[in-house]
C-alpha cells in the first residue's frame, strides 16, 4: 500500500523524505571534497610559489601604479591538459620529467629549487655521474589515466578559489581608495612587455623617431626572409657535423666563405661570415662534459673536460694565464703584463691615476685582447663591469675559458669593421699587450677605440713600447706619441709596476672640440657630418674622428652619474624619463616577486645571463644584487636603446638573431626573451633561432620567454621536441609566460654542415 500511495503522486516521494536524502548526500560529498582538497594542496610545498597576496592595506591613487608593478607573483590557473595542445582557457602548468612520446596527460609537479643538485667545494658531489652525458630524471607517480586525482582537484577547485580570493582582495583595496580595477590588471602587469610595447610609439631620446641598428648601419647583411612552414607537433633534430665539433660557431666557422676571402691581412678571416641559411642542427656536447663549477670558485678553476684545450697552458704557462692541474684547468690570476696577479695590477692603475676611481667614475670598461679575461674577472672585486673580447684564433678557447669561469666575454676582432657597440659608451678602454698595431694605416684601429670611448674617458696601454727601449718598441712608441697627439689625446701619466716589471701609459680623450679646431693639419680627419657614429652593425671602420658633443642636452656632453646612482637615474639626455622609471619599477617587481620565487630556478647555480631583447636594461638592473652578470642584446631591428643601457652602468651588444651569436656553445646559464620570437618569425626561421638558443645554453640552463600566446605555443612545442623540461607555462588574454630547462638529450642522427668543413 505504501508503494501504491507514493506511486500516485507522479512518482515523487513526500517532502520530508525528499529533503533528508539529498542533504545526507550533500554533506557526504562536502566531507569527501574537503578531504580531497586538503590532500591536493599539501604537496604544494610553498604557497608563495603559486600565489602571493599583495600586502598593502591602503593603496592611494598615486601609489596604485607602483602597487600593480610590485604585484609580480604568478597567478594560479593551474590545470592539467594535453601537452601539445593550447587553447583559450587560462592555465598554469608546472611540469618536470622527460617529454612523453604520445599525448598522454602528464603529472603536474612543482619544481623546488632547493632540491636541485649542488656542487661540493671542489665542484660536484658523489652523484656527479648522474649529470655527465645524461638526463636528470625526476620521479613521478601517475594513476592509470596518467593524472593524479589530487591534481585534478587542484586544477579545478583551487584555481577558482584563488582567483576569487585574489579578485576580492583587489576589489577590497580598490573600494577603500575609490579605484576601479579591471580583472585583467594583475595579469597584464605580469605579462606585459615593459618598455618593449611602448618604444615604437613613445617620445624620443633626443630628436626625431627612434632609430634601429638596421637603419643606422648601411652595410649590414640582408635579413633572412625564409618563410616558416612548420608542424608544431613534430620536429626532426639532428647533430651538427662540423670540423669545430662541440665548439661550432656558425658565423665564425664558415670555411667556405673564409677560403674565398681575397685577403686576410686585416684579420678578415676572424670576422663574421654567416652561412646563407642558419643551421637547424644541435651542437654535440664535449665528451665527459659536466655542470660548470659555481662562481666564485669558477674564477680560479674549471673542469678540463668542459674546455679540453691545453695549448694555451703550454704556450702561456710561464705567464700564469692557465695551467692543467689534474681534472681541472686552474687560473692563477696572471697575464702577460701582470704575472704576479691581476689585482695588484688593477690597483696600480688607480694608484697611478686616482681620478680613474674604479667602481665609481669608471664602472663599464672595454678590455681589448682579453686573453682568459683575468683582468675582467678580478675587476668584479672593484665593482667594475668589463666587456672583454678576443678573436677565435691560434690561442684556442681563450674566450671560452673566460665564459666557463663566469667572466663576461665575446668573440670579436679589431679587423675591418666597427665593433658592435654604440659611440661614446665605455668609461675606460684597456689594452694589456693586446697585439693590436694601433699606429698603422692612419691609426684606423685606435680611432675605432676613440669612437666607443666616452669624452673624458681613459685609454690604458701597458704594452712593451711603453717601457722597452729596443729599436722596434722605440719606433712604435714614437709613432703612437705622434698619433695620440694628433687625436688630441692627453698623455696623463705613465705608471710603473716594479713587481711585474712593466709600465702603463694612461691617455685621456678630450671633452671639447677646441683641440680639433686648432690643429694645423686635419690628420686624422674629422668624420663627415653624415657619418653616424652609432651605426655599428657590419659597418666598415673609418680613419676619422667624430666631433665631441657639446650641447648640454646631447648624449656625451656630460659624464654619467657615479655608480651605483647611475643605475636608477634616467639619463639627462633622455626625453622620456617617466618610461625609463616605469620600466625599471616593472622589472623590479617581476624579478623579485616572480622570477626569483616562482620559476623553479636555483639562482645560486646561475652566473652568465643574457637578455636577448633588452630595452632600457630594466631586467638586468633588477638583477643587480645577484651574483650574476647580464649581457644585454639590442636586436638590429629594435629601437636603438643600447646607449641608455651603457649610460646606466650596464653593458650590451648589437645583434641580428637571424644569425648566430659570437660566443661558444654552452656559454650561458639563463636566456631571457621578452617579445623577441614573435618579431623574429616575420623574417627568420624560428627553428634555427631555437637551435641557436640550444647552442648557447648549457645543459640544465633555463630559457624564460614572454610573448603572445601563439608564439609561446610554438616555442613550448619546440622545447618539448628537444626533450626540455617545461618548468612553467602560463597564458591569458593572448599573452604568455614560459620557463623551460634544457636537458642533456642529444640526437644521434648527423647533419653535415658543408660550410663548416675545413
Amino acid at each position: 500500500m505504501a508503494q501504491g500511495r507514493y506511486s500516485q503522486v507522479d512518482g515523487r516521494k513526500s517532502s520530508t523524505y525528499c529533503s533528508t536524502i539529498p542533504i545526507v548526500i550533500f554533506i557526504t560529498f562536502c566531507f569527501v571534497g574537503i578531504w580531497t582538497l586538503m590532500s591536493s594542496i599539501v604537496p604544494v610545498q610553498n604557497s608563495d610559489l603559486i600565489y602571493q597576496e599583495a600586502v598593502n592595506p591602503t593603496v592611494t591613487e598615486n601609489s596604485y601604479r607602483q602597487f600593480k608593478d610590485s604585484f609580480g607573483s604568478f597567478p594560479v590557473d593551474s590545470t592539467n591538459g594535453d601537452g601539445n595542445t593550447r587553447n583559450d582557457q587560462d592555465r598554469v602548468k608546472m611540469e618536470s620529467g622527460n617529454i612523453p612520446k604520445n599525448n598522454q596527460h602528464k603529472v603536474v609537479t612543482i619544481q623546488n629549487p632547493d632540491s636541485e643538485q649542488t656542487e661540493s667545494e671542489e665542484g660536484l658531489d658523489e652523484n656527479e655521474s648522474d649529470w655527465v652525458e645524461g638526463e636528470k630524471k625526476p620521479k613521478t607517480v601517475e594513476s592509470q589515466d596518467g593524472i593524479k586525482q589530487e591534481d585534478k582537484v587542484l586544477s579545478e577547485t583551487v584555481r577558482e578559489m584563488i582567483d576569487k580570493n585574489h579578485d576580492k582582495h583587489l576589489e577590497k583595496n580598490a573600494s577603500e581608495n575609490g579605484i576601479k580595477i579591471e580583472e585583467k590588471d594583475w595579469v597584464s602587469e605580469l605579462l606585459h612587455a615593459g618598455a618593449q610595447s611602448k618604444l615604437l610609439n613613445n617620445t624620443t631620446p633626443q630628436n626625431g623617431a627612434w632609430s634601429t641598428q638596421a637603419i643606422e648601419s648601411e652595410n649590414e647583411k640582408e635579413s633572412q626572409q625564409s618563410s616558416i612552414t612548420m608542424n608544431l607537433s613534430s620536429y626532426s633534430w639532428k647533430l651538427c657535423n662540423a670540423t669545430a665539433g662541440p665548439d661550432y660557431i656558425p658565423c665564425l666557422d664558415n670555411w667556405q666563405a673564409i677560403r674565398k676571402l681575397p685577403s686576410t691581412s686585416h684579420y678578415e678571416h676572424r670576422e663574421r661570415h654567416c652561412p646563407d641559411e642558419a643551421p637547424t642542427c644541435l651542437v654535440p656536447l664535449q665528451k665527459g662534459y659536466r655542470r660548470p663549477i659555481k662562481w666564485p670558485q669558477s674564477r680560479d678553476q674549471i673542469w678540463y673536460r668542459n674546455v679540453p684545450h691545453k695549448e694555451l697552458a703550454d704556450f702561456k704557462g710561464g705567464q700564469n694565464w692557465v695551467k692543467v692541474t689534474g681534472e681541472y684547468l686552474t687560473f692563477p690570476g696572471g697575464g702577460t703584463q701582470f704575472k704576479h696577479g691581476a689585482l695588484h695590477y688593477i690597483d696600480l692603475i688607480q694608484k697611478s691615476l686616482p681620478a680613474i676611481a674604479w667602481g665609481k667614475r669608471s664602472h663599464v670598461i672595454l678590455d681589448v685582447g682579453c686573453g682568459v679575461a683575468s683582468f675582467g674577472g678580478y675587476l668584479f672585486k672593484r665593482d667594475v663591469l668589463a666587456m672583454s673580447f678576443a678573436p677565435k684564433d691560434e690561442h684556442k678557447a681563450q674566450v671560452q675559458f673566460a665564459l666557463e669561469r663566469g667572466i663576461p666575454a665575446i668573440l670579436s676582432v679589431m679587423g675591418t669593421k666597427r665593433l658592435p657597440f654604440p659611440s661614446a659608451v665605455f668609461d675606460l678602454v684597456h689594452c694589456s699587450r693586446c697585439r693590436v698595431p694601433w699606429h698603422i694605416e692612419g691609426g684606423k684601429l685606435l680611432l675605432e677605440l676613440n669612437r666607443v670611448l666616452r669624452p673624458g674617458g681613459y685609454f690604458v696601454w701597458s704594452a712593451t713600447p711603453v717601457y722597452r727601449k729596443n729599436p722596434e718598441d722605440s719606433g712604435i712608441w714614437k709613432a703612437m706619441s705622434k698619433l695620440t697627439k694628433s687625436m688630441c689625446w692627453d698623455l696623463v701619466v705613465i705608471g710603473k709596476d716594479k713587481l711585474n716589471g712593466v709600465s702603463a701609459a694612461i691617455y685621456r680623450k678630450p671633452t671639447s672640440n677646441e683641440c680639433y679646431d686648432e690643429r694645423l693639419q686635419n690628420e686624422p680627419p674629422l668624420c663627415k657630418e653624415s657619418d653616424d657614429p652609432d651605426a655599428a652593425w657590419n659597418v666598415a671602420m673609418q680613419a676619422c674622428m667624430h666631433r665631441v658633443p657639446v650641447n648640454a642636452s646631447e648624449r656625451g656632453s656630460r659624464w654619467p652619474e657615479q655608480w651605483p646612482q647611475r643605475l636608477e637615474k634616467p639619463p639627462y639626455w633622455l626625453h622620456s624619463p617617466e618610461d625609463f622609471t616605469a620600466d625599471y619599477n616593472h622589472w623590479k617587481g617581476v624579478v623579485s616577486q616572480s622570477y626569483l620565487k616562482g620559476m623553479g630556478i636555483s639562482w645560486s647555480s646561475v652566473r652568465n645571463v643574457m637578455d636577448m631583447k633588452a630595452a632600457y636594461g630594466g631586467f638586468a638592473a633588477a638583477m643587480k644584487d645577484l651574483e650574476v652578470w647580464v649581457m644585454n642584446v639590442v636586436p638590429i631591428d629594435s629601437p636603438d636603446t643600447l646607449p641608455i643601457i651603457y649610460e646606466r652602468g650596464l653593458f650590451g651588444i648589437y645583434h641580428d638573431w637571424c644569425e648566430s651569436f659570437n660566443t661558444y656553445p654552452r656559454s650561458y646559464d639563463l636566456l631571457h626573451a621578452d617579445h623577441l620570437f614573435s618579431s623574429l618569425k616575420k623574417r627568420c626561421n624560428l627553428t634555427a633561432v631555437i637551435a641557436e638558443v640550444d647552442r648557447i645554453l648549457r645543459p640544465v640552463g633555463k630559457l624564460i620567454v614572454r610573448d603572445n600566446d601563439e608564439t609561446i605555443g610554438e616555442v613550448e612545442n619546440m622545447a618539448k621536441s628537444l626533450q626540455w623540461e617545461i618548468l612553467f607555462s602560463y597564458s591569458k588574454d593572448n599573452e604568455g609566460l614560459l620557463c623551460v630547462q634544457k636537458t642533456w638529450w642529444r640526437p644521434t642522427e648527423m647533419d653535415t654542415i658543408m660550410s663548416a668543413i675545413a
Side-chain angles (χ1 to χ4, degrees):
M1 292 293 296
Q3 257 184 325
R5 189 181 66 175
Y6 290 134
S7 63
Q8 292 178 3
V9 192
D10 297 328
R12 290 174 293 181
K13 301 177 184 179
S14 70
S15 59
T16 303
Y17 190 87
C18 179
S19 59
T20 302
I21 299 302
I23 289 174
V24 172
I25 296 174
F26 175 77
I27 293 174
T28 303
F29 272 101
C30 284
F31 278 107
V32 172
I34 291 171
W35 177 84
T36 307
L37 176 60
M38 294 302 296
S39 64
S40 69
I41 293 177
V42 170
V44 182
Q45 299 172 2
N46 185 356
S47 61
D48 289 342
L49 189 64
I50 298 293
Y51 166 75
Q52 296 194 357
E53 189 174 32
V55 182
N56 188 358
T58 58
V59 182
T60 65
E61 182 72 33
N62 293 333
S63 66
Y64 175 58
R65 183 173 183 178
Q66 182 180 358
F67 166 76
K68 287 202 303 177
D69 287 340
S70 65
F71 197 86
S73 58
F74 293 119
V76 181
D77 296 354
S78 181
T79 69
N80 290 317
D82 191 312
N84 295 322
T85 303
R86 300 182 67 87
N87 52 42
D88 294 330
Q89 295 179 352
D90 309 331
R91 61 207 182 276
V92 172
K93 294 178 289 182
M94 293 186 178
E95 306 166 345
S96 63
N98 295 329
I99 305 304
K101 296 181 180 179
N102 52 33
N103 291 333
Q104 290 180 349
H105 291 75
K106 293 177 291 302
V107 175
V108 176
T109 62
I110 293 184
Q111 196 82 349
N112 182 3
D114 297 331
S115 67
E116 186 170 343
Q117 180 171 338
T118 58
E119 285 103 358
S120 65
E121 279 297 312
E122 296 181 352
L124 296 171
D125 60 23
E126 298 174 354
N127 297 324
E128 167 60 30
S129 59
D130 294 338
W131 287 97
V132 180
E133 298 186 287
E135 291 189 47
K136 182 181 179 183
K137 299 179 179 179
K139 299 177 181 179
T140 59
V141 180
E142 299 185 3
S143 61
Q144 291 182 353
D145 62 352
I147 308 176
K148 287 184 179 179
Q149 183 64 30
E150 293 89 338
D151 291 329
K152 291 182 179 178
V153 178
L154 177 65
S155 66
E156 300 297 335
T157 310
V158 178
R159 178 182 64 178
E160 296 176 3
M161 179 183 68
I162 293 177
D163 280 350
K164 290 179 180 178
N165 289 339
H166 182 272
D167 292 342
K168 290 179 180 178
H169 172 80
L170 290 182
E171 290 170 2
K172 179 181 179 182
N173 279 285
S175 62
E176 291 175 355
N177 296 278
I179 301 172
K180 182 179 180 180
I181 298 181
E182 298 292 338
E183 184 274 344
K184 63 182 180 181
D185 285 346
W186 62 283
V187 177
S188 62
E189 181 54 37
L190 173 66
L191 296 179
H192 92 273
Q196 303 285 6
S197 60
K198 299 179 181 179
L199 281 176
L200 292 178
N201 297 319
N202 70 9
T203 54
T204 63
Q206 287 178 239
N207 294 304
W210 277 103
S211 182
T212 68
Q213 268 300 304
I215 295 174
E216 293 167 352
S217 305
E218 297 177 359
N219 298 326
E220 71 188 15
K221 291 175 69 71
E222 295 221 358
S223 301
Q224 297 182 30
Q225 298 293 334
S226 303
S227 61
I228 305 171
T229 303
M230 57 179 62
N231 185 344
L232 296 181
S233 62
S234 176
Y235 295 89
S236 177
W237 301 102
K238 298 180 181 179
L239 213 57
C240 298
N241 180 18
T243 299
D247 295 336
Y248 176 46
I249 306 170
C251 289
L252 296 181
D253 292 322
N254 186 352
W255 289 100
Q256 280 186 349
I258 293 173
R259 282 191 288 262
K260 295 177 181 178
L261 291 172
S263 172
T264 59
S265 61
H266 293 89
Y267 297 95
E268 291 91 343
H269 57 305
R270 307 297 186 197
E271 295 180 327
R272 291 173 60 85
H273 303 282
C274 298
D276 294 334
E277 293 186 7
T280 57
C281 55
L282 308 182
V283 175
L285 291 174
Q286 290 282 8
K287 185 177 180 181
Y289 181 89
R290 295 178 170 185
R291 290 194 67 183
I293 295 172
K294 294 181 181 180
W295 179 268
Q297 184 186 355
S298 62
R299 187 195 63 192
D300 302 324
Q301 66 177 22
I302 63 175
W303 296 114
Y304 171 76
R305 284 294 182 185
N306 287 11
V307 192
H309 299 289
K310 60 179 182 178
E311 296 88 347
L312 199 58
D314 296 337
F315 186 64
K316 296 285 188 178
Q319 297 172 359
N320 285 330
W321 278 37
V322 56
K323 296 180 179 180
V324 179
T325 309
E327 60 181 347
Y328 299 104
L329 288 165
T330 58
F331 301 86
T336 304
Q337 298 300 91
F338 41 91
K339 292 183 290 185
H340 297 284
L343 207 55
H344 167 81
Y345 172 77
I346 289 167
D347 291 340
L348 175 81
I349 292 173
Q350 179 161 307
K351 184 178 179 180
S352 302
L353 185 60
I356 284 178
W358 292 128
K360 295 182 179 179
R361 183 186 190 273
S362 301
H363 179 69
V364 185
I365 77 157
L366 181 67
D367 187 19
V368 182
C370 63
V372 296
S374 289
F375 180 70
Y378 280 89
L379 275 171
F380 279 114
K381 284 185 168 289
R382 298 295 178 261
D383 208 5
V384 176
L385 195 58
M387 172 73 79
S388 303
F389 78 88
K392 187 179 184 183
D393 59 10
E394 64 274 8
H395 289 166
K396 284 190 175 180
Q398 52 187 339
V399 167
Q400 193 174 16
F401 286 145
L403 290 163
E404 186 73 14
R405 296 173 70 188
I407 302 171
I410 61 168
L411 287 160
S412 193
V413 65
M414 300 294 298
T416 67
K417 298 177 181 179
R418 287 178 175 175
L419 297 171
F421 313 118
S423 67
V425 290
F426 289 104
D427 305 334
L428 180 146
V429 178
H430 172 259
C431 163
S432 171
R433 204 170 178 177
C434 52
R435 302 196 309 161
V436 178
W438 302 116
H439 60 291
I440 67 171
E441 297 184 351
K444 181 183 292 187
L445 301 181
L446 194 62
L447 290 168
E448 173 61 6
L449 294 191
N450 184 75
R451 183 185 71 85
V452 300
L453 183 63
R454 289 187 186 280
Y458 296 104
F459 174 58
V460 180
W461 186 44
S462 63
T464 54
V466 178
Y467 55 91
R468 289 184 181 172
K469 304 302 180 183
N470 58 61
E472 181 182 3
D473 285 323
S474 296
I476 294 174
W477 174 255
K478 184 177 180 180
M480 275 289 285
S481 298
K482 181 180 179 180
L483 174 62
T484 53
K485 185 177 180 180
S486 67
M487 292 171 58
C488 297
W489 281 14
D490 182 21
L491 177 58
V492 182
V493 67
I494 297 178
K496 296 183 179 180
D497 183 352
K498 295 181 180 179
L499 178 63
N500 289 302
V502 301
S503 297
I506 304 178
Y507 300 87
R508 186 172 186 263
K509 180 179 176 178
T511 57
S512 73
N513 296 305
E514 293 180 11
C515 177
Y516 297 157
D517 297 334
E518 293 173 357
R519 292 184 304 167
L520 297 178
Q521 293 182 331
N522 190 32
E523 290 292 335
L526 293 175
C527 300
K528 297 178 180 178
E529 291 186 6
S530 60
D531 189 293
D532 185 353
D534 291 329
W537 185 252
N538 283 346
V539 175
M541 283 186 189
Q542 300 293 323
C544 64
M545 297 182 297
H546 297 90
R547 298 184 71 86
V548 174
V550 293
N551 189 306
S553 63
E554 285 186 276
R555 181 176 71 85
S557 62
R558 288 157 46 187
W559 197 263
E561 297 284 334
Q562 287 197 349
W563 180 263
Q565 288 79 13
R566 65 194 283 187
L567 181 72
E568 300 184 1
K569 188 172 182 179
Y572 64 89
W573 44 267
L574 186 64
H575 285 191
S576 54
E578 64 281 355
D579 291 338
F580 176 96
T581 303
D583 180 73
Y584 183 38
N585 289 335
H586 163 73
W587 285 112
K588 282 195 297 184
V590 169
V591 169
S592 64
Q593 297 299 320
S594 298
Y595 289 4
L596 299 185
K597 296 180 179 180
M599 286 291 194
I601 298 173
S602 176
W603 287 93
S604 64
S605 299
V606 175
R607 173 64 181 171
N608 303 357
V609 178
M610 179 187 290
D611 191 355
M612 300 177 69
K613 188 181 180 183
Y616 294 129
F619 167 74
M623 309 277 281
K624 179 181 74 74
D625 295 329
L626 298 180
E627 286 290 324
V628 304
W629 57 267
V630 181
M631 181 66 71
N632 293 282
V633 180
V634 173
I636 62 167
D637 60 343
S638 294
D640 187 4
T641 56
L642 196 50
I644 300 174
I645 291 170
Y646 275 94
E647 194 80 2
R648 68 190 304 181
L650 306 172
F651 64 13
I653 189 172
Y654 295 119
H655 184 60
D656 182 356
W657 282 114
C658 292
E659 304 172 354
S660 70
F661 192 78
N662 269 20
T663 192
Y664 282 91
R666 303 169 300 280
S667 296
Y668 286 84
D669 301 301
L670 186 142
L671 302 182
H672 182 258
D674 182 15
H675 289 75
L676 169 68
F677 298 131
S678 56
S679 62
L680 288 179
K681 289 194 301 180
K682 301 172 184 176
R683 62 187 190 89
C684 307
N685 182 344
L686 191 57
T687 304
V689 176
I690 297 301
E692 176 65 4
V693 167
D694 178 272
R695 190 185 72 86
I696 294 174
L697 265 183
R698 293 167 169 168
V700 200
K702 314 297 190 296
L703 169 66
I704 300 176
V705 183
R706 309 168 70 88
D707 221 308
N708 62 52
D709 187 62
E710 178 186 352
T711 303
I712 290 290
E714 294 178 40
V715 175
E716 184 174 337
N717 280 328
M718 278 189 271
K720 290 175 179 177
S721 70
L722 287 164
Q723 299 195 28
W724 290 10
E725 295 180 14
I726 312 300
L727 300 183
F728 186 92
S729 181
Y730 174 80
S731 66
K732 186 164 187 173
D733 295 337
N734 199 36
E735 288 294 319
L737 178 62
L738 176 69
C739 181
V740 295
Q741 176 175 281
K742 178 179 174 180
T743 64
W744 297 82
W745 177 81
R746 295 289 86 179
T748 55
E749 188 177 353
M750 303 293 290
D751 181 13
T752 299
I753 310 300
M754 298 308 300
S755 63
I757 303 299

